[in-house]
């Protein structure tokens, strides 16, 4: 695990800390012909060399494996990603890189992840409740509030696409986390922050129906998250 963490540190330094945005843009434009791509790979190699400085002779095979696979995965992403799939390919890219780090670490250490340690009753229960917080609650809230029909968005509305959906998901996850970690004060802070940023604009626009519609949705969102958090803690006692 220590070796894997060293590999991961080098990866974070190379992919996030020491990779300027202009390098990313240049790579996407020129692909294999981009000099920034090779600067990027060189930064990864240098990071690994520094972190493994005293043991590089021992881990040279893992070093070559990581650098080679990193270059291949980056190149694959550059040629397969499209404008609409850039976000998806970012996560695919990172998952593949981390998988390669695990494989490289397994060359030298007994790096086995036991399913018995990962898939436990507690982790399954947590996963179920996270899915309920994110997806089930959203559908139930939508069913409840569709009985009201606020005025449709104006054509010049500059609201971000699906912003409300993601705000709702994030706020429920935050509230659920605050409840299960016994930080109830965080819920008050979150509700106050949302009130300042959102409800102020709505009330000033004198759109009462839309204000009440969003207020009901927000309170339902918070209520579901609090309820699920309390229920999760209660069921946790029986596992």
């Amino acid at each position: 695990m220590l070796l894997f963490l060293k590999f991961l540190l080098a990866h974070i330094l190379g992919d996030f800390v020491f990779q300027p945005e202009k390098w990313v843009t240049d790579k996407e434009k020129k692909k294999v012909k981009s000099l920034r791509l090779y600067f990027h790979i060189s930064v990864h190699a240098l990071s690994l060399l520094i972190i493994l400085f005293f043991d590089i002779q021992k881990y040279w095979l893992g070093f070559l494996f990581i650098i080679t696979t990193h270059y291949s995965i980056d190149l694959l992403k550059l040629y397969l990603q499209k404008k609409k799939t850039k976000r998806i390919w970012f996560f695919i890219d990172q998952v593949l890189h981390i998988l390669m780090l695990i494989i490289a670490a397994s060359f030298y250490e007994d790096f086995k992840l036991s399913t018995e340690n990962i898939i436990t009753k507690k982790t399954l229960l947590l996963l179920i409740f996270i899915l309920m917080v994110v997806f089930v609650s959203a559908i139930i809230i939508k069913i409840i509030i569709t009985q009201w029909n606020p005025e449709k968005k104006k054509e010049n509305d500059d609201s971000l696409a699906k912003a409300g959906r993601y705000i709702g998901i994030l706020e429920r996850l935050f509230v659920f986390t605050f409840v299960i970690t016994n930080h109830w004060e965080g819920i008050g802070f979150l509700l106050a922050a949302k009130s300042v940023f959102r409800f102020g604009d709505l009330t000033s626009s004198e759109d009462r129906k839309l204000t009440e519609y969003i207020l009901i949705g927000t309170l339902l969102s918070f209520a579901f998250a609090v309820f699920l958090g309390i229920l999760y803690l209660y069921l946790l006692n029986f596992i």
Side-chain angles (χ1 to χ4, degrees), residues 12-234:
I12 292 173
L13 290 173
D15 251 21
F16 298 97
V17 179
F18 298 118
Q19 181 173 209
E21 183 65 27
K22 60 182 180 181
W23 286 16
V24 177
T25 304
D26 190 77
K27 288 191 301 179
E28 292 175 349
K29 182 179 180 180
K30 299 179 181 178
K31 297 181 172 56
V32 73
K33 296 180 180 180
S34 172
L35 289 177
R36 270 56 176 193
L37 173 61
Y38 302 98
F39 291 165
H40 173 63
I41 299 300
S42 298
V43 169
H44 269 282
L46 183 60
S47 299
L48 274 172
L49 285 173
I50 293 173
I51 293 173
L52 302 174
F53 182 74
F54 296 105
D55 300 309
I56 190 61
Q57 291 183 344
K58 179 180 178 182
Y59 301 123
W60 66 268
L61 180 60
F63 170 83
L64 292 177
F65 178 80
I66 291 173
I67 298 303
T68 303
T69 56
H70 193 100
Y71 172 76
S72 302
I73 292 169
D74 277 9
L75 209 57
L76 181 69
K77 183 186 73 169
L78 290 174
Y79 279 97
L80 293 181
Q81 73 178 5
K82 305 297 180 183
K83 187 175 181 180
K84 293 183 178 180
T85 60
K86 282 179 63 176
R87 283 176 294 180
I88 297 174
W89 272 103
F90 169 80
F91 291 107
I92 293 175
D93 172 78
Q94 293 302 315
V95 169
L96 290 176
H97 286 320
I98 293 175
L99 180 60
M100 295 303 106
L101 299 183
I102 293 175
I103 293 174
S106 68
F107 292 165
Y108 308 97
E109 298 177 353
D110 186 15
F111 201 97
K112 294 181 179 179
L113 298 177
S114 174
T115 55
E116 294 181 358
N117 294 330
I118 297 176
I119 306 176
T120 64
K121 293 180 181 179
K122 291 183 179 180
T123 54
L124 284 176
L125 183 65
L126 180 60
L127 178 59
I128 290 170
F129 271 81
I130 288 175
L131 292 175
M132 291 174 68
V133 167
V134 174
F135 298 104
V136 178
S137 297
I139 294 174
I140 294 175
I141 292 170
K142 184 177 180 180
I143 292 173
I144 293 174
I145 64 177
T146 48
Q147 60 182 301
W148 299 286
N149 185 24
E151 295 180 5
K152 294 182 179 180
K153 295 180 180 179
K154 299 178 181 179
E155 292 182 1
N156 61 349
D157 188 1
D158 58 354
S159 177
L160 297 175
K162 300 181 180 179
R165 179 189 301 178
Y166 293 120
I167 291 172
I169 290 174
L170 289 172
E171 74 184 17
R172 287 195 298 277
L173 285 174
F174 278 128
V175 172
F176 179 75
T177 302
F178 289 145
V179 172
I180 66 175
T181 58
N182 197 29
H183 286 87
W184 290 84
E185 66 278 5
I187 300 176
F189 173 79
L190 185 63
L191 184 58
K194 185 172 182 181
S195 300
V196 170
F197 286 109
R198 190 157 195 177
F199 297 137
D201 293 336
L202 289 173
T203 53
S204 64
S205 67
E206 298 181 354
D207 192 344
R208 183 174 178 180
K209 288 184 179 179
L210 185 58
T211 301
E212 292 174 343
Y213 181 81
I214 293 177
L215 180 58
I216 292 171
T218 296
L219 293 177
L220 283 173
S221 182
F222 274 66
F224 271 106
V226 171
F227 170 74
L228 290 173
I230 294 173
L231 182 61
Y232 169 78
L233 292 176
Y234 175 76

